[in-house]
Every structure is written in structure tokens, then in C-alpha cells.
Amino acid sequence: MSRSLVIKATSGEDAPERCNQAFTVAAAAVASGVDVSLWLTGEASWFAVPGRAAAFSLPHSPPLADLLAGVLAGGRVTVCTQCAARRDLTGDDLIAGVRIAGAPTFVEEATDDGVQALVY
């Protein structure tokens, strides 16, 4: 059985190292051929808006925009419904390929057979 990863990023610029770890693990997993679903929640939701990931900087880390592009190239990126609503974000505000979905979808993905869920 192959394993999949569901990764939830719960922070953004408010906790840059934790945020970057989620994106780094997601991009590394996609590059390794793992099926990846990256969920952006809380302040991480902003990185689904064009240009926001490019403005993020963390020393000794690859550019967040590159990591996000890697995940989008081979995985899925989702913004939490409630997190998007609290930030007045709609699908039209997001990078092409990013969807908005809620907790039932997260639970369905995270509890599927062969899935490992990670929360950062």
C-alpha cells in the first residue's frame, strides 16, 4: 500500500519556522512521488493569495513561493473554508489550482486508508 500525506499548516508569518516546515515537508514529499494534500489554515491561508508567498522570507530556507509551486505541480492545496471567510477570501482571490474546502473534506482526506496526517 502506498502512503499519502495530508499536511496542515496552521501558521504563517506569525510563526515562520513552523510555517516553512509544513511547506518544506509537503514539497519534499511531492518531489519524492508521495501523494500530498496541503491544507492552509489560520494565517497560512494568506499564502494562497498571489504574491503573498513570494513576500515571505526565512533565512536558510528555500523561497516559500518555490515550495508552494512544487506542491501545486504535483499535489493539492486547500484553504480552510472558515479561515478563508474570516479573511474575506473567495476562490477568485486565490492562486489557480487552490481550492477552498471545509472540515468534513479534511477529515475525509486525513482518515482515508494509507494516509499520514501531519500538523504544523
Side-chain angles (χ1 to χ4, degrees):
M1 167 190 342
S2 68
R3 292 188 55 126
S4 299
L5 281 176
V6 174
I7 299 170
K8 183 184 266 193
T10 62
S11 59
E13 292 182 15
D14 56 326
E17 286 186 285
R18 187 168 14 133
C19 172
N20 187 268
Q21 288 169 355
F23 281 80
T24 299
V25 169
V30 168
S32 298
V34 176
D35 178 46
V36 173
S37 178
L38 174 63
W39 282 72
L40 306 179
T41 66
E43 290 300 297
S45 302
W46 289 115
F47 295 125
V49 174
R52 294 298 287 261
F56 179 91
S57 178
L58 183 65
H60 310 290
S61 298
L64 198 69
D66 292 351
L67 297 172
L68 178 57
V71 176
L72 282 167
R76 295 173 308 287
V77 178
T78 306
V79 174
C80 158
T81 300
Q82 291 178 8
C83 300
R86 281 190 282 275
R87 289 158 181 82
D88 293 321
L89 297 174
T90 68
D92 292 337
D93 298 313
L94 307 181
I95 296 167
V98 176
R99 69 178 177 164
I100 296 175
T105 305
F106 176 81
V107 170
E108 181 180 344
E109 286 187 10
T111 59
D112 201 9
D113 289 337
V115 172
Q116 174 71 47
L118 305 173
V119 178
Y120 290 90

